[in-house]
Amino acid sequence: MTANSFATRLLTAALLASAVLPAAAFADGSVTVGGAAFVNKGLVGVGRIAANQRDKFGETFGSGSGMAIDPAAWTRDGVAYKGTLYLLPDRGYNAVGTTDYRPRLNTLSIEFTPVAPGATPEAGKEQSGVKATLADSMLLLDDKGNDTTGLDPESGIRAPSGDFPALPQATNGKIALDNEAIIRMADGSMFISDEYGPYIYRFSADGRLTGATQPPKALLPMRKGMLSFASNNPGPGASAPDPKDPETGRQNNQGLEGMAMTPDGKFIVAVLQSAARQDGGDSGATRQNTRAMVYDAADPDHLKLVHEYVVPLPVFKDAKDKTTVAAQSEIVALSDTSFLMLARDSGNGQGLKNDTSLYRIISIVDTSGATDIAGTDFDSDKPVAPKGIVDASITPASLTPFIDINDKANLARFGLHNGAPNDRNDLSEKWEAMGLASVLDPNLPDDYFLFIANDNDFFTQDGFQVGAAYKADGGADVDTMFQVYQVTLPGLRK
């Protein structure tokens, strides 16, 4: 068999296994993974925050690149719930290059009144089930108490010191962060994953950087044999990197998009958005084999890599019948061997030229039968999937589709849709945040509310950031939106 025919067979198999499934595939809402039944009971609530919302610092509110729900603050009173939700924006409005936006964390008060699974909300109240009120905004500071920045680090590096590895640094001397996912601990301290590094950062409860975990060498972005954190989005007056793409390591803007802690609090799972450059990530058609890393969190200031797996991303056909890979946007850990993974297409949604998404699905990833590559040559110079073909010694994780976010019937019950008309009820492009909260029903001990939120990219026609007013390109006002599903997830209880 030739290499080309072998590649074709693998791609066809991936396509058949992971292509967009018809609505009937999700009809009964139940899938079985590892002998356990997982049930999607459907959409039970929707809510919004206006696109022109300002935060505590008077700047345009940024929505969900990452989400954490405080389990200690989550309460139920009859059919209503209240709680506290933490929403992590990324690097600010950056339609043309990056800006000196100060990374931050927003705290929201949540009031939630779900409709019964399968029921239709009262007319006129379809999108009022989730009431989110901005309560606070906190800046994320470096280890010396100085501001951090959303600016592309270009070629800047802060030299290793103490427990800190080399860090991305912008031309203004600030540590550069492109935040993507958050874990909030009971004491208020946080783990935040990053695109630039791609690192896992540790922050104190008051937002000060206290530690950084560097990934294996294979995921570090390298140009001309040197560490280079640039993502080819230079700020004002800065230069683009040479070459524009890393030669190995994470792709530009494809860092640790997903991260979560296991329910027992023992492990942190972090997933690269799509394949590293040497693993097929140098082509949009072959970037499907990404990596999931599992860290022992017993010492939260010094995470220890204990497992690592190849995770196949979904493959589907786009509107031009071109094979496309759906990059992962967020995860929720179910155990140290399984997690929910949200994967989606790009360039489609409200305010964009292409208004209809072809793939937005939350799947269950199971690594229990996958090959553990932690600490092997694959963490150094050996690709796990050169040109997108998985090394013969590796068994990847399994992927089981679970929730179709684009399901027309579910969306229609709440006055939403996927595609034309391209209005505020057309789902926006980037659904990137997920969080779980218990249903708090003793009769349904394994039922949870799965909150998902979009990253609206700060798109508004009434914006203000980094000292200047702006209007987002394209004329759209993209609200922060929450959708809530009721799901049955067996085995999560401690």
Side-chain angles (χ1 to χ4, degrees):
M1 183 184 299
T2 66
N4 285 342
S5 63
F6 180 59
T8 301
R9 282 185 58 188
L10 283 181
L11 192 56
T12 301
L15 182 61
L16 291 173
S18 306
V20 178
L21 298 182
F26 296 88
D28 67 358
S30 177
V31 299
T32 300
V33 178
F38 296 79
V39 183
N40 167 27
K41 297 183 176 179
L43 203 56
V44 294
V46 168
R48 296 177 181 266
I49 295 177
N52 65 352
Q53 170 80 49
R54 303 285 175 93
D55 64 20
K56 185 173 95 172
F57 304 103
E59 296 188 292
T60 298
F61 173 83
S63 53
S65 275
M67 178 194 299
I69 298 174
D70 185 354
W74 185 249
T75 61
R76 177 179 180 175
D77 183 7
V79 297
Y81 298 80
K82 290 184 178 181
T84 302
L85 184 151
Y86 300 89
L87 211 56
L88 185 73
D90 53 19
R91 61 188 177 184
Y93 180 65
N94 61 122
V96 183
T98 48
T99 65
D100 192 17
Y101 176 75
R102 296 178 296 173
R104 63 201 66 183
L105 178 68
N106 293 308
T107 303
L108 284 72
S109 296
I110 295 289
E111 298 178 29
F112 176 46
T113 306
V115 300
T120 299
E122 182 181 341
K125 296 183 178 181
E126 293 90 347
Q127 297 172 28
S128 62
V130 180
K131 180 182 178 183
T133 304
L134 182 60
D136 198 9
S137 303
M138 179 178 70
L139 295 177
L140 298 175
L141 309 175
D142 70 13
D143 54 311
K144 298 176 176 61
N146 300 317
D147 285 344
T148 54
T149 183
L151 282 168
D152 192 300
E154 195 186 352
S155 59
I157 292 177
R158 195 183 87 173
S161 62
D163 275 352
F164 285 96
L167 297 178
Q169 182 172 279
T171 53
N172 60 8
K174 297 178 183 178
I175 299 302
L177 298 177
D178 186 1
N179 303 317
E180 292 300 340
I182 180 172
I183 297 165
R184 187 178 181 276
M185 307 296 284
D187 64 0
S189 63
M190 299 162 284
F191 293 97
I192 290 176
S193 72
D194 165 68
E195 294 258 53
Y196 289 139
Y199 285 1
I200 298 174
Y201 290 113
R202 174 108 162 118
F203 286 89
S204 64
D206 59 358
R208 189 161 175 156
L209 182 66
T210 62
T213 298
Q214 192 177 62
K217 175 186 173 183
L219 302 188
L220 291 173
M222 306 294 288
R223 290 179 172 90
K224 299 178 180 178
M226 302 290 290
L227 188 59
S228 171
F229 295 115
S231 68
N232 197 31
N233 287 277
S239 302
D242 178 26
K244 67 183 182 71
D245 295 305
E247 290 149 337
T248 60
R250 66 103 179 104
Q251 298 186 67
N252 291 331
N253 304 304
Q254 301 279 305
L256 293 183
E257 191 78 17
M259 181 186 67
M261 180 167 273
T262 55
D264 60 12
K266 293 181 178 180
F267 300 96
I268 289 175
V269 183
V271 185
L272 207 64
Q273 186 167 11
S274 65
R277 297 284 297 178
Q278 71 275 16
D279 296 337
D282 57 349
S283 167
T286 62
R287 64 174 185 164
Q288 67 265 36
N289 295 296
T290 191
R291 303 194 194 195
M293 293 165 287
V294 181
Y295 290 90
D296 186 331
D299 180 352
D301 293 318
H302 302 90
L303 300 180
K304 179 183 178 182
L305 181 66
V306 290
H307 304 293
E308 183 179 351
Y309 307 100
V310 173
V311 175
L313 295 172
V315 180
F316 66 99
K317 292 285 190 178
D318 66 13
K320 297 181 179 180
D321 202 38
K322 180 181 177 182
T323 299
T324 306
V325 177
Q328 72 88 13
S329 283
E330 183 58 294
I331 69 167
V332 170
L334 306 178
S335 71
D336 60 333
T337 60
S338 62
F339 53 89
L340 300 180
M341 181 178 76
L342 193 167
R344 59 173 179 82
D345 56 5
S346 299
N348 303 314
Q350 182 206 352
L352 302 178
K353 181 179 179 180
N354 299 315
D355 53 31
T356 306
S357 165
L358 297 176
Y359 196 99
R360 294 187 188 112
I361 286 176
I362 299 170
S363 297
I364 301 169
V365 177
D366 181 8
T367 65
S368 60
T371 305
D372 189 348
I373 62 171
T376 68
D377 290 345
F378 296 114
D379 275 343
S380 183
D381 300 320
K382 186 176 182 180
V384 299
K387 303 301 181 183
I389 307 301
V390 177
D391 187 281
S393 68
I394 296 174
T395 300
S398 68
L399 200 67
T400 304
F402 182 41
I403 298 173
D404 184 2
I405 296 172
N406 290 339
D407 180 77
K408 292 181 179 179
N410 244 332
L411 295 175
R413 290 168 44 234
F414 291 84
L416 299 172
H417 53 265
N418 171 36
N422 195 340
D423 57 17
R424 69 189 297 267
N425 289 319
D426 180 17
L427 295 188
S428 64
E429 175 192 14
K430 297 181 178 180
W431 291 84
E432 296 191 352
M434 294 196 293
L436 285 179
S438 173
V439 170
L440 298 178
D441 184 341
N443 296 315
L444 299 169
D446 292 329
D447 270 30
Y448 295 83
F449 295 122
L450 175 63
F451 282 73
I452 65 171
N454 63 335
D455 172 7
N456 71 350
D457 271 343
F458 303 86
F459 273 30
T460 176
Q461 302 307 297
D462 178 25
F464 186 86
Q465 219 168 78
V466 196
Y470 71 90
K471 291 185 177 181
D473 293 348
D477 282 294
V478 179
D479 294 339
T480 295
M481 185 180 291
F482 301 92
Q483 297 186 61
V484 187
Y485 292 82
Q486 187 167 334
V487 294
T488 304
L489 304 174
L492 258 66
R493 287 171 290 154
K494 298 178 183 179

